[in-house]
Structure formats: structure tokens, C-alpha cells
Amino acid sequence: MENLIPLIILFPLLGVIINGLWGYRLGRRIVGLIGPGVVALSFLVSIVVVLGLNGLEGEHKQFTVTLFEWIRAGNFVIPLQFLVDPLSGLMLLIVTGIGFLIHIYSVGYMADDVGYARFFTYLNLFIVSMLILVLGANYLLLFMGWELVGLCSFLLISFWFTNTEYASAGRKAFVVNRIGDFGFALGIMLIFVTFGSLNFADVFTKSETLAVGAPVVTTITLLLFVGAIGKSAQIPLYVWLPDAMAGPTPVSALIHAATMVTAGVYMIARSHVLYDHAPTTQAIVAVVGTATALFAALIALTQTDIKKVLAYSTVSQLGYMVLGVGAGAYTAGVFHLYTHAFFKALLFLGAGSVMHSLGGEQDMRNMGGLLKYIRTTGITFILGGLALAGIFPFAGFWSKDEILASAFNHGGLYQVLWAIGVLTAGLTAFYTLRQVGLVFFGEERWRTALAPAGAGAGHGAPVTAPTIPPAAVQAPVASAPAPAPAMPPTQPPATTASPTELAPGEKPRRPRPGQAAPVEPTIPPAPSAAAEPPAAAPTQPPTESAPGEKPRRPRPGQTLAASVPTTPSISEPAPTPSEPAPSESAGEKPRRPRPGQANVAANTPIEPVSSPAPVGQPETPVQPASHVEPSVAETAGDKPRRPRPGQASDPSTLPTKPETVGQTTHETHTEHAAPAHGATAHDAGGHGHGGHGFSGEPHESPPNMTVPLVILMLGAVAAGWANIPGVSPLLEHWLEPVFGAHEVEVIASPVTLALVSLAAAVIGALLGMMMYDVPLFVVRLPRLTPPRLAGLYEASLNKFYVDEIYDRLFVQPFGRLADWFWQAVDKSVIDGLVNGIAGGFRSLSGVFRQVQTGYVRNYALWMLVGVVVLIFWFFYQ
Amino acid sequence: MDVPIQYYGLLSALLFSMGVAGVLLRRNIIIVFMSIELMFNAANLLFVAFARHQNGLDGQVFVFFVMTVAAAEVAVGLALVMALFRSKQTTDVDDASTLKG
């Protein structure tokens, strides 16, 4: 049995080597077989090993295998040793099992990406790293896996590295993780200094002799926890995780569910003996975990990007796990890790499938009513959502409840944490259902936002119009836009949008109407042209797209103005140009321009609409206005930057080859680079898999994407049943040899506690359903909107400005410090010294150089002189 | 009759000095080359003279070696001259001064 253990790592490693070295020559089919295949093999071996483990008894329930001595320096001896015990066994199954499903899914998801082989190489390497992390029998191996995982996350997050923004998201993940790793490395060194070994078994045995609360243990555990903060994305180092959405969706799923972020929790659970000896650290861990859970949940409430909601929800759920391990309930923490792996992987892959169905759209405000189009995805997603929300009897309920119950029973401070945890559970349920509602129920906003012109016309104009509380509902096309022009030109987006959810999101990127306007003129005509070759379009207006980024969406003011003129001057020519615009816009799934576009679309066909026009015109100079039309078209053109060139309504473009797609993508990216919009804006979908554009009707993903969804759904539903306290505490028994039997005095009955947290979840879920069109309840509540909760909403939407604060607090000061060092120290002192020495030698050599005349005679003469001198020397010596 | 050894020495020194002067003063590489040969032979002459003077064969044998080496050197040297001429269309050694620092 022991001999099998290395195979678990070896198989994926083989995949890395094959795909990495020959991937591009093997062709996609073979790469797509090898990638998931090796993980499947590894999964099978893991099952065999774990089954073997199951046959052992109690304390002996572990396999150790030593391959060779890795490092020996004095008494510092590190064997390459793997350990499979119930804890790492469970992690093995999670990593390889969920990892395998994600691989399968990737085969479909990445099918059109140019970097197919590279992707699977990285993905396999990720699995290898995670397995090393999990299997290592000493802290150094764990650290090695830890760092490798960081490397892989960097590689995968910036997988589409030609886009500067994605690349910097990867860098951010890497750097932020390094900060945590620094603490972790210090912790490991301190462990060695204290215990003289890094072997888990040795360290834990020796630590038993230390007093509980000994400062050394507290320091060690705190340092280790710093590592966990980085890797498991806790406050204050969680900032990398949401940005990690820049990677392809399967990567998000892999990072969030099966690997990487669970590393911190695993490490704490693994070191539980140490943590048990450091109650102070435990309290800190628990507080940080709870704070993270609450904070991230608050942010998740208002996010509009389908993946960002999930990202923050992951941060929040990791907070729960950390709370669990901080409360000494290691089993509960690991239990949540395990259930979370299922439903979060499911949700991410489901989100990927949704995006896929809409040709890469990521903005939930452009979704809605999708359930009937993509049933499999929808149902699995909803069930996954319920599991995340902690609704009985789905997986999330059991594990979350167990964490909360153990926190409560821990007493004291922990009961406060419990209360916050319960509140967070309510928030979790709310934002999950909000997401479900926005994506799968309610108005089919994508029709206007993403669809071809014709489709949209019928509906309300600005995507969200219908949902808008204030007026607007009735007069879809015209009325909605009307207010926009009325407002001060500078603010247009804010006002217009504000009623809807969209607005705020855009803010950051949005306005610069000023920019947008000038841009257009450069490329005024040829809207149709822009549309046709989506690839080409972006190239032309490069400058534009840069600033254009923002404008893409709102600039309602302009767009309106633009659209207006066309209509009133209904003269023949006008409509014609406008025509192409909408079609384009359709092509691009303009998450952005939508309000404007919608109008355009609407306007063209509906003459009367023109009435609002005049309002807008005065504001915008006539010139730009006339150009606006094209601008829309362009925007459309831009869009393609997120490839989905296919989307262009023109069917001929659909079959775009992967190659082309790739190129487009690249160009796109470069242009993208410019401004703000959070990593979010783009997405995966846009990318590689532009091949499927959005062609009018959302379509279900291919089976190799939906099958993993269904399997994961089963897990999301049933995984929690593996550990029902009092009924089937399988997991607890399984992990008992590792964590020992914990005697917890029970303060409140588990059932009561479960009911409390369930109640919180249900209330949250109901609110979410009522506000966001989930049709279970007829009651409709007004949604969360900016005016309603003004400051808080805004703050949450902007992620509480954490990134900005960090920027101010750390990035900029360090930038300035670095600048100072550069100018004052490096340039003048260091460079001066180096250049000075070099200069000295240079002038010296100038003197000596004179000797080298290059004339042979001259050299001969010197030889002669030398000979003469030698002769004299010999003579007179 | 015996020519005194000093005469040989003088002749040899004369030849050698001519060779040195040729190498140092002439610019035509072929002349320079010949001057080098002259120095060789000045040395050879002295070898033979001393060998005879001391009734030993060592010096004479040595001359054979010098001559073979000189032959080889000529081959190489002429090849170099050819190469120089090909690349610079000149036999003037002062034109081959790319090593100038």
C-alpha cells in the first residue's frame, strides 16, 4: 500500500511532463485525454490507498513512506517522506476527485483556447503541488507544496497574460501570498529551532511537553497562521482572491474549491496539536476567521459580477472554516472544507456554464430568466446555491452548523463570534439567492443587453428598466432613457443607473463621456464595418478603446443623444447607420453599453420615441452626437475584444477558428490594458472560448461540462450527510485518529443551535428570493439599491475600498520609498561607486592603450628591447 | 686552414642585425618575412660554427631541426601573407593594424 502513495503524485507529474513538453505537438484530443486522465488515475490510486487506510485500526491508521533523504546538514535532516492519515486521505480524495471533475469540465470550457496544452500542464502541476502539500510528512515538504501552489496560482490566474490586467492579478496573488509565506517560513524555522525537527510526528510529540500557552508555541502558531492568512485569504490578505477571477473559470473553481485556499485550513488542522497549546492564537484565529466571514459576505451582497459574488463567498466560507479550526473544532472546519469543495466547485463551474451560454457574459445584471434555457446548469446551480446558503438538508447546512455549534459551545468570546457567524449565515443565504434570482429568474435582461437588435426592441430599454422601482416600468424604451439627458451631463450614469442595480458598479469605469465623444469622430463611419470583422475593429480605435473601456457601458447621456438624432432626422440615411449599430451591439454582448444600445435598438424601429431626443441634444454638442451612433457600433466593435467574436449576429463569423479567436483575444487584451474596471470585467468566457458567441438564445453547455456539474451537485446535496451529529458521524470517526476525541461540554442543545442558524439562513434566503424574482413567493420586496442604503451599499459595492486603502497605505508609500532608494541611494551612491570605479579603470586603460599601436614592427621592437634588457640583466646579475 | 670562430660570430651577428633591422624598418611584409629568415640563418650559422669548433654534433643536429621548423613556419607565414593580401589587397604591414588599442 505504501508503494502506491508516490504514484498519486507521479501520475499528474507525468501529465505535466507530457503536456508541458510535447503538448502542442500532441494535438488537442490527446492533451484533453492526458490532462484529466492522469488525475483520474491519481484519484483511483487515492481511493485504493484510503480504502487500505480504512482497514487499519485507531492510532495506527496511517501510512508513511520514505523515498529518500532529501536534505542533510548537521542535525537538519529532511527525508522525502509522505504521510497518509485520515486527514490527508480526505484531502487526497477532495483534491484529486474534485480536481478531476474540474479537469473534465475544462476540456469543454477551454476547448477553443490557444493555450490548451499549457492550461492542462498548469492544471496538472497545480494538482501535483497540492498533493505534495497534503502528503508531505514534514513542514518543509508542506512548505514546498505551499510555494508550488502559489506558483501555479500565479501561472493560472495570469493565464491570459497578454492582458496586462490579468497579468497583474496573477502578480498580486503571488505577492500577497508571499507576504503570508514569509510568516509561514519564519514559523517553520522557529519550529526547527524549538523542536529540532520538522517532522510532524516528532514536532507534535515534543510539543506535548510544553505548557499550554507557552510563548514559543504561541509565536509559532501565530507565524504559521500568517501563512494561512495569505493562502486561505483571510483579512487582511484576502485581496488577491477576488482578483484571482481573472483566470479561466475552471481555475477559479480549482483554486477556490479543491486546492490552494484550503491549504491554510489544512495546515492549521494538521498542526492542531500546536494550536491546542496556544489558546491565544486560537482566539485570534477565530476572530480573524469570523471577521473575514462577515466582511466578505457584506461585500458579496452587492457585487454584480457572477464570479465575484462567488469569490467573496469563498472568502467568507473560508472565514467559517478558520473560525471552526480556531474554535478547536478541527473536524468541523475540515468538514466544511470538504462540503465547500463540492458546492463551491459546482457554483463556479455552473457560473462558467452560464457565462458560456451567454457567450462570456459575466455581469448578472445582463442575465435573468435563464433557468428555462439552461436547465441542467440552472438546477445544479440552484442546488449548489442552497448548499452554500446552508439550507437544510444540503451539504452546507451541516458543516456550517457544526462550526457554529462548536463555536457556541466553546463559550465566552466564541459566543459573540457565533452570533456574528449566524448573522453571516443569513447574509450568505441572501446573496446566494440574490445571485440565483438575478441569473435564473426574473426579466430576461440579456435579450436587450446582449441579444441582437430585434429581440431587444420589445422589452424595456435599459436592461434593468423593468426592475427599476421608479417610473420607467411602463414606457420601456423612451421613458427610461429620458431622465438621463435631463441630468447634468457629468453625472449621467449615476442618475440613470442608480435606480437599477447597475449604476453603481459602473461608476468607477463609467462616465468619461467626454472621452468617449472625441473618440468617436475618429472613426465615425462604417459602423457596419466595425461590426463585421470584430477582430479588426478593436485594432483601429486602439486609443479609443483605452478610454473607451469605461465608456463602453453607460455614457447613457451620449448614447441617447446619439440615438436620438438618428430618429428625428428620420430621413432615409439615418436609420441605416443605426441599423448596424444594434446588430453589432448584439454581437458584443455589451454588458456595458447596454443602456445606450438598448435605446438605439429601440429607437430605430420605433419612430415616436424620438421625442426625448431634444432634451439630450442641447447637452451634447451636435457634432459628437451625430457620431455617437458609430460609437455604439464601435463599442460593439470593441467588445469583441473579449473575443466572442462569434457573437456577431452574422452567422458566418460563428465558426471562427480557435486561432483567430486567440488572436483577437490578444489584441483585445492589449487594448484592455488601460484602465480600471476590476479584473472582473473581462472574463474568461470572453476569452478562449469566444468560439461560441452569444447568438440570441442561451444554450446549454456540452456534456463534458454538465456532467461534472451533475456529479458535483450530488455532492453538494449529500456530502453533508457524512457527518450528521448523533446520526452518522462518519467523518468524525474517520478523523478521530488525527484530532482525537474532543470532549466538548454542550452548552446549548445542538438542535436548538441548528434551528437558529437555519432560521437565519432561511430568512436571508427568503429575503433574497422576494427581492430578486425567485418565483417561490408572490411577495415582492424592493431591492437593495443605492439610495436605500446609501453609504453602505456604495461601500460594499466598492469592496469597502480595501484595495484603495492598501494602495494608499502600502503600495504608494512603498512606491515612494522605492523611488527614493532608486534616486538617492541606487542612482547616486551605488551607481556612482560602480561607475566611478569603472570610469577610473577606463581612463587608466586609455593611457596603457597608447602602447598598442597595432604595428607588428612596434611589437617586434618591444621584444627586442625586452631581449636586450634580459641580456643585460643576465650579464650584470 | 681554420677560420677563427670570431669571424663566424661576427658574420652571424651582422646577419642577425640585418634581419632585425629588416623586420623593424621595412613595411613590405614579404621583406619582413625574408628578414626573419635571415635571423634564422644567422642563428644556424652560429650553431654550426660552434658545433665544429667544439667537435660536437649537437649543434649541427639542432640546425636540422631549426630548418624543418623554419620550413613549416614559411608555409604558415606565406599562407598568412596570402590571407592578408586577400583581405586588404596590400602587403604593407602597417595596413594590418586593427589590433590598435
Side-chain angles (χ1 to χ4, degrees):
Chain A
M1 194 60 66
E2 276 88 351
N3 299 333
L4 290 180
I5 296 173
L7 285 184
I8 300 176
I9 296 181
L10 223 54
F11 279 127
L13 193 60
L14 210 63
V16 174
I17 293 169
I18 296 176
N19 278 346
L21 294 182
W22 303 289
Y24 285 96
R25 252 177 277 163
L26 289 178
R28 281 162 189 264
R29 285 201 51 173
I30 299 180
V31 170
L33 272 180
I34 291 176
V38 291
V39 183
L41 286 175
S42 168
F43 180 49
L44 291 179
V45 178
S46 306
I47 291 178
V48 173
V49 170
V50 171
L51 285 180
L53 195 62
N54 198 28
L56 301 179
E57 275 311 307
E59 292 295 303
H60 306 290
K61 220 170 196 177
Q62 61 175 45
F63 296 123
T64 331
V65 55
T66 311
L67 293 187
F68 51 84
E69 198 170 82
W70 181 23
I71 300 174
R72 172 185 281 278
N75 62 344
F76 181 74
V77 182
I78 301 291
L80 191 65
Q81 191 175 39
F82 297 127
L83 166 75
V84 178
D85 66 356
L87 176 60
S88 50
L90 178 69
M91 292 296 291
L92 271 188
L93 294 182
I94 295 174
V95 172
T96 53
I98 308 265
F100 171 60
L101 293 176
I102 293 171
H103 274 72
I104 296 272
Y105 179 93
S106 308
V107 173
Y109 191 87
M110 300 297 286
D112 297 331
D113 198 280
V114 266
Y116 197 66
R118 185 165 60 95
F119 185 74
F120 278 103
T121 309
Y122 292 168
L123 224 50
N124 281 344
L125 187 62
F126 212 140
I127 299 283
V128 172
S129 323
M130 199 60 201
L131 289 172
I132 292 177
L133 193 160
V134 167
L135 285 176
N138 55 56
Y139 277 103
L140 202 66
L141 272 181
L142 182 108
F143 188 63
M144 178 177 156
W146 192 271
E147 292 300 314
L148 276 174
V149 165
L151 167 71
C152 293
S153 69
F154 165 74
L155 291 175
L156 282 168
I157 293 170
S158 46
F159 182 74
W160 287 311
F161 55 83
T162 45
N163 179 329
T164 351
E165 206 170 305
Y166 295 177
S168 60
R171 217 161 36 224
K172 184 174 178 182
F174 198 69
V175 170
V176 172
N177 266 298
R178 284 297 76 64
I179 299 172
D181 295 348
F182 180 64
F184 191 55
L186 286 182
I188 291 177
M189 291 173 204
L190 192 56
I191 288 177
F192 183 74
V193 171
T194 314
F195 301 111
S197 168
L198 289 181
N199 234 348
F200 291 141
D202 298 345
V203 172
F204 300 149
T205 340
K206 285 181 189 163
S207 68
E208 298 287 359
T209 59
L210 290 171
V212 170
V216 184
V217 188
T218 310
T219 318
I220 290 177
T221 46
L222 275 178
L223 287 172
L224 292 184
F225 181 55
V226 171
I229 286 179
K231 203 62 75 184
S232 283
Q234 298 297 296
I235 289 176
L237 296 183
Y238 72 89
V239 286
W240 66 271
L241 193 59
D243 280 12
M245 295 299 96
T249 306
V251 172
S252 313
L254 194 60
I255 293 179
H256 283 244
T259 62
M260 184 109 182
V261 295
T262 60
V265 179
Y266 167 78
M267 188 272 295
I268 296 179
R270 173 57 80 200
S271 319
H272 69 101
V273 182
L274 298 176
Y275 280 85
D276 280 339
H277 278 74
T280 322
T281 312
Q282 283 195 316
I284 293 172
V285 171
V287 169
V288 169
T290 316
T292 309
L294 177 65
F295 191 70
L298 283 176
I299 296 177
L301 288 183
T302 55
Q303 296 304 304
T304 53
D305 181 300
I306 188 169
K307 281 172 80 182
K308 284 252 162 155
V309 174
L310 294 175
Y312 280 104
S313 124
T314 302
V315 177
S316 175
Q317 298 304 307
L318 286 167
Y320 273 114
M321 295 175 210
V322 171
L323 164 63
V325 293
Y330 304 105
T331 312
V334 172
F335 183 32
H336 196 51
L337 187 162
Y338 148 80
T339 55
H340 179 259
F342 284 101
F343 60 74
K344 191 46 66 66
L346 167 60
L347 289 173
F348 264 111
L349 298 187
S353 180
V354 169
M355 284 151 49
H356 193 90
S357 75
L358 290 179
E361 180 59 31
Q362 259 179 302
D363 195 324
M364 295 194 297
R365 293 164 303 192
N366 292 344
M367 299 177 180
L370 287 174
L371 183 58
K372 63 175 167 253
Y373 298 95
I374 45 175
R375 279 212 169 259
T376 318
T377 306
I379 292 170
T380 52
F381 191 96
I382 291 170
L383 288 175
L386 292 177
L388 169 61
I391 302 294
F392 179 88
F394 301 109
F397 165 75
W398 302 103
S399 51
K400 201 180 292 179
D401 176 60
E402 193 170 331
I403 289 177
L404 291 174
S406 354
F408 189 85
N409 287 331
H410 213 276
L413 165 72
Y414 290 89
Q415 295 193 343
V416 180
L417 300 183
W418 168 82
I420 299 174
V422 170
L423 172 67
T424 308
L427 295 177
T428 309
F430 177 79
Y431 69 65
T432 311
L433 268 297
R434 166 179 177 269
Q435 180 170 36
V436 167
L438 281 176
V439 174
F440 292 106
F441 297 99
E443 202 72 24
E444 295 178 355
R445 293 178 297 272
W446 45 269
R447 284 203 185 279
T448 40
L450 313 178
H459 286 265
V463 181
T464 41
T467 54
I468 306 179
V473 183
Q474 268 308 353
V477 183
S479 65
M487 11 203 255
T490 35
Q491 310 250 0
T495 7
T496 342
S498 65
T500 65
E501 263 189 286
L502 336 169
E506 271 102 43
K507 287 251 190 83
R509 357 164 144 193
R510 52 118 170 214
R512 322 44 223 295
Q515 293 186 344
V519 179
E520 265 73 79
T522 49
I523 324 141
S528 58
E532 238 65 280
T539 13
Q540 296 164 332
T543 40
E544 179 208 358
S545 62
E549 213 58 0
K550 299 62 182 328
R552 43 175 133 148
R553 18 294 269 349
R555 25 172 144 131
Q558 293 187 349
T559 341
L560 280 183
S563 59
V564 175
T566 14
T567 1
S569 62
I570 303 169
S571 53
E572 249 38 84
T576 345
S578 63
E579 217 66 74
S583 68
E584 243 125 273
S585 49
E588 51 228 78
K589 63 217 12 218
R591 34 185 92 203
R592 358 352 229 347
R594 22 177 150 121
Q597 290 185 340
N599 289 334
V600 177
N603 284 348
T604 347
I606 313 173
E607 251 67 292
V609 179
S610 55
S611 47
V615 192
Q617 273 174 333
E619 237 96 33
T620 2
V622 183
Q623 274 306 348
S626 58
H627 290 297
V628 180
E629 207 59 303
S631 80
V632 177
E634 236 124 283
T635 342
D638 290 345
K639 260 45 177 328
R641 41 180 116 147
R642 322 32 218 331
R644 7 174 152 130
Q647 285 140 227
S649 43
D650 182 356
S652 67
T653 41
L654 282 177
T656 347
K657 298 218 170 110
E659 276 78 9
T660 5
V661 175
Q663 288 176 353
T664 322
T665 317
H666 290 187
E667 289 176 16
T668 303
H669 288 167
T670 5
E671 290 178 34
H672 258 324
H677 53 93
T680 22
H682 351 308
D683 67 47
H687 277 225
H689 83 288
H692 340 248
F694 179 63
S695 44
E697 286 288 278
H699 56 93
E700 186 58 282
S701 306
N704 52 12
M705 287 168 69
T706 50
V707 170
L709 289 181
V710 173
I711 298 174
L712 285 169
M713 179 200 72
L714 297 180
V717 172
W721 303 339
N723 197 32
I724 303 176
V727 181
S728 64
L730 294 177
L731 195 72
E732 207 174 321
H733 279 309
W734 172 252
L735 291 174
E736 207 177 296
V738 183
F739 297 134
H742 273 267
E743 298 292 313
V744 189
E745 79 220 80
V746 177
I747 302 178
S749 116
V751 179
T752 322
L753 289 175
L755 285 181
V756 173
S757 56
L758 182 59
V762 168
I763 291 172
L766 287 183
L767 283 176
M769 286 199 253
M770 288 190 273
M771 286 191 204
Y772 293 93
D773 305 326
V774 180
L776 225 54
F777 294 88
V778 193
V779 195
R780 284 267 178 103
L781 290 181
R783 297 185 172 185
L784 282 186
T785 52
R788 219 167 282 278
L789 291 162
L792 194 59
Y793 185 94
E794 199 69 4
S796 162
L797 188 62
N798 291 303
K799 298 134 196 177
F800 293 100
Y801 305 102
V802 170
D803 277 324
E804 285 78 4
I805 292 172
Y806 282 1
D807 188 56
R808 275 289 161 71
L809 232 52
F810 302 109
V811 180
Q812 288 184 12
F814 275 104
R816 277 196 291 274
L817 188 68
D819 248 17
W820 181 79
F821 271 112
W822 172 41
Q823 295 290 356
V825 179
D826 190 61
K827 277 192 125 176
S828 54
V829 179
I830 311 269
D831 282 2
L833 206 64
V834 173
N835 291 341
I837 292 175
F841 278 104
R842 223 153 85 151
S843 43
L844 196 63
S845 77
V847 177
F848 287 131
R849 203 172 50 189
Q850 305 302 321
V851 179
Q852 302 290 336
T853 56
Y855 297 130
V856 180
R857 289 175 289 119
N858 232 309
Y859 298 114
L861 181 63
W862 282 111
M863 278 167 67
L864 188 69
V865 171
V867 169
V868 171
V869 170
L870 276 180
I871 288 171
F872 273 84
W873 191 65
F874 276 122
F875 267 105
Y876 292 98
Q877 198 181 21
Chain B
M1 65 160 247
D2 270 351
V3 180
I5 189 77
Q6 294 90 335
Y7 289 4
Y8 290 108
L10 268 179
L11 177 60
S12 172
L14 196 64
L15 284 175
F16 193 86
S17 306
M18 285 164 65
V20 169
V23 168
L24 293 182
L25 302 178
R26 300 305 295 264
R27 294 191 175 177
N28 189 317
I29 192 166
I30 297 188
I31 306 282
V32 171
F33 204 57
M34 287 161 63
S35 304
I36 292 172
E37 292 303 310
L38 207 55
M39 288 191 280
F40 267 122
N41 288 318
N44 283 348
L45 178 62
L46 213 54
F47 266 127
V48 176
F50 277 108
R52 194 178 149 75
H53 182 70
Q54 301 190 341
N55 284 325
L57 275 179
D58 297 1
Q60 304 202 15
V61 172
F62 215 94
V63 169
F64 279 107
F65 282 103
V66 173
M67 278 160 60
T68 37
V69 171
E73 180 255 343
V74 168
V76 174
L78 283 180
L80 286 175
V81 171
M82 292 295 291
L84 176 72
F85 186 77
R86 276 201 192 142
S87 67
K88 302 232 177 211
Q89 267 74 47
T90 176
T91 52
D92 190 334
V93 282
D94 282 1
D95 285 342
S97 62
T98 41
L99 270 183
K100 182 174 167 50

